[in-house]
């Protein structure tokens, strides 16, 4: 079972690279973020034609998340509890019905939060509190759970090329990192760190300032696993090469493989 996450930074601009990568990597489940389109114009047919089931929670021009799966999707939930007035499309959850090993999978596009001195940072922290509360309730089900997506959080100094360059940024702010640690304290494990505790690897390189050729990246795309999922984890792969292909997103796919 191979479960991936990828912030595609616009699904319609990235459909060809996505289809190419799906053919090469053959993931069973992919959580997509920042699709930047309404449900009606999501390329559902193109993905169904190659064997994927699709669940999408889009938003015209902004945000948007989706789950695509070779297995049937049930119990689809497009609302993160805790704020009935929040209309940003940042969360979708579903049960992936693999007969041998069903998983509860969520695709998450966590708020950026910049500038820190604004309501955007308050929204980020409040969103994380809601995520923490919901994640705790999911843990009580004792299912195999994967919270996957663009968390817009650099967890530790090792996860960025230059910690000094990110001082004061919402992605590296101590309150953001503390909220991420609270999620781990519930019992979720960072899949990448569970496999490679000292590896310095990134999932995002900005389009500006030559970040990609200089390898000035950050690791902000994560797969957070419940204990039941960790028990079946084999390895995690960051598909760095995808960043160097044509029409790249500024993020690359990352996937975990399970027994």
């Amino acid at each position: 079972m191979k479960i991936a996450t990828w912030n595609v930074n616009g699904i319609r601009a990235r459909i060809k690279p996505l289809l190419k990568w799906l053919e090469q990597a053959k993931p069973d489940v992919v959580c997509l973020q920042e699709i930047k389109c309404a449900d009606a114009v999501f390329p559902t047919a193109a993905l169904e034609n190659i064997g994927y089931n699709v669940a999408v929670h889009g938003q015209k021009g902004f945000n948007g998340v989706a789950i695509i799966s070779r297995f049937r999707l049930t119990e689809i939930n497009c609302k993160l509890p805790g704020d009935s007035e929040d209309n940003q499309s940042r969360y979708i959850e579903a049960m992936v019905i693999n007969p041998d090993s069903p998983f509860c999978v969520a695709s998450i596009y966590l708020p950026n939060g910049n500038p820190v001195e604004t309501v955007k940072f308050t929204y980020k922290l409040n969103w994380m509190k809601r995520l923490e509360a919901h994640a705790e309730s999911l843990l009580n089900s004792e299912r195999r759970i994967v919270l996957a997506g663009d968390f817009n959080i650099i967890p530790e100094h090792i996860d960025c090329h230059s910690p000094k360059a990110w001082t004061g940024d919402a992605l590296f702010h101590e309150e953001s990192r503390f909220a991420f640690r609270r999620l781990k304290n519930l019992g979720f494990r960072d899949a990448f760190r569970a496999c490679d505790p000292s590896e310095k690897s990134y999932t995002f390189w900005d389009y500006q300032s030559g970040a990609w050729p200089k390898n000035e990246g950050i690791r902000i795309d994560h797969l957070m696993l419940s204990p039941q999922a960790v028990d079946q984890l084999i390895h995690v792969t960051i598909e760095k090469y995808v960043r160097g292909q044509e029409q790249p997103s500024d993020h690359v796919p990352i996937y975990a493989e399970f027994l």
Side-chain angles (χ1 to χ4, degrees):
M1 182 75 159
K2 187 184 290 188
I3 300 177
T5 182
W6 190 5
N7 178 324
V8 291
N9 192 14
I11 187 70
R12 287 178 290 178
R14 231 65 66 189
I15 186 60
K16 288 184 179 179
L18 173 61
L19 292 173
K20 180 179 180 180
W21 179 73
L22 291 173
E23 181 181 359
Q24 292 171 337
K26 294 180 171 52
D28 297 294
V29 181
V30 185
C31 297
L32 301 171
Q33 302 87 42
E34 211 172 353
I35 61 174
K36 296 183 180 179
C37 71
D39 294 9
V41 293
F42 186 83
T44 300
L47 295 165
E48 289 179 340
N49 287 342
I50 60 170
Y52 286 93
N53 299 291
V54 175
V56 59
H57 180 37
Q59 183 175 345
K60 184 178 179 180
F62 300 94
N63 305 322
V65 286
I67 300 173
I68 65 172
S69 170
R70 294 190 183 276
F71 300 98
R72 185 165 57 94
L73 297 171
T74 66
E75 300 180 39
I76 297 168
N77 169 31
C78 296
K79 189 71 175 178
L80 182 66
D83 186 352
S84 59
E85 296 183 359
D86 184 4
N87 58 7
Q88 296 192 27
S89 299
R90 294 183 174 275
Y91 186 88
I92 187 169
E93 167 193 315
M95 282 299 300
V96 176
I97 308 302
N98 176 348
D100 298 322
S101 186
F103 277 80
C104 175
V105 175
S107 181
I108 293 168
Y109 180 43
L110 208 144
N112 178 286
N114 282 305
V116 170
E117 300 80 10
T118 69
V119 294
K120 292 183 177 181
F121 190 56
T122 303
Y123 175 64
K124 180 189 186 92
L125 296 179
N126 287 339
W127 206 95
M128 292 197 71
K129 288 179 182 177
R130 293 163 55 201
L131 177 62
E132 180 185 355
H134 185 56
E136 185 172 18
S137 70
L138 290 176
L139 278 179
N140 292 334
S141 70
E142 298 187 356
R143 291 170 166 174
R144 301 174 190 87
I145 301 165
V146 181
L147 305 180
D150 177 1
F151 280 71
N152 269 315
I153 293 175
I154 305 166
E156 303 294 342
H157 286 65
I158 193 176
D159 298 310
C160 58
H161 73 282
S162 171
K164 184 178 179 180
W166 291 91
T167 300
D169 193 282
L171 277 63
F172 198 53
H173 195 280
E174 184 55 39
E175 288 188 72
S176 301
R177 295 164 62 206
F178 181 66
F180 190 78
R181 288 195 295 271
R182 287 202 310 267
L183 190 63
K184 293 196 289 186
N185 289 340
L186 289 177
F188 283 90
R189 290 282 301 279
D190 178 341
F192 180 76
R193 285 286 166 240
C195 294
D196 297 295
S198 61
E199 178 69 22
K200 192 166 187 175
S201 295
Y202 311 128
T203 63
F204 170 93
W205 295 260
D206 198 285
Y207 290 126
Q208 307 299 319
S209 305
W212 165 245
K214 291 187 287 187
N215 196 32
E216 294 181 348
I218 54 178
R219 190 176 72 92
I220 56 175
D221 302 271
H222 309 299
L223 298 120
M224 304 299 291
L225 311 183
S226 68
Q228 294 81 4
V230 173
D231 286 345
Q232 293 189 302
L233 179 64
I234 300 172
H235 66 82
V236 175
T237 301
I238 295 175
E239 298 277 74
K240 182 178 177 179
Y241 76 93
V242 175
R243 184 63 172 82
Q245 296 186 332
E246 293 183 6
Q247 296 178 291
S249 169
D250 41 9
H251 299 250
V252 296
I254 173 174
Y255 68 81
E257 190 161 358
F258 301 88
L259 294 172

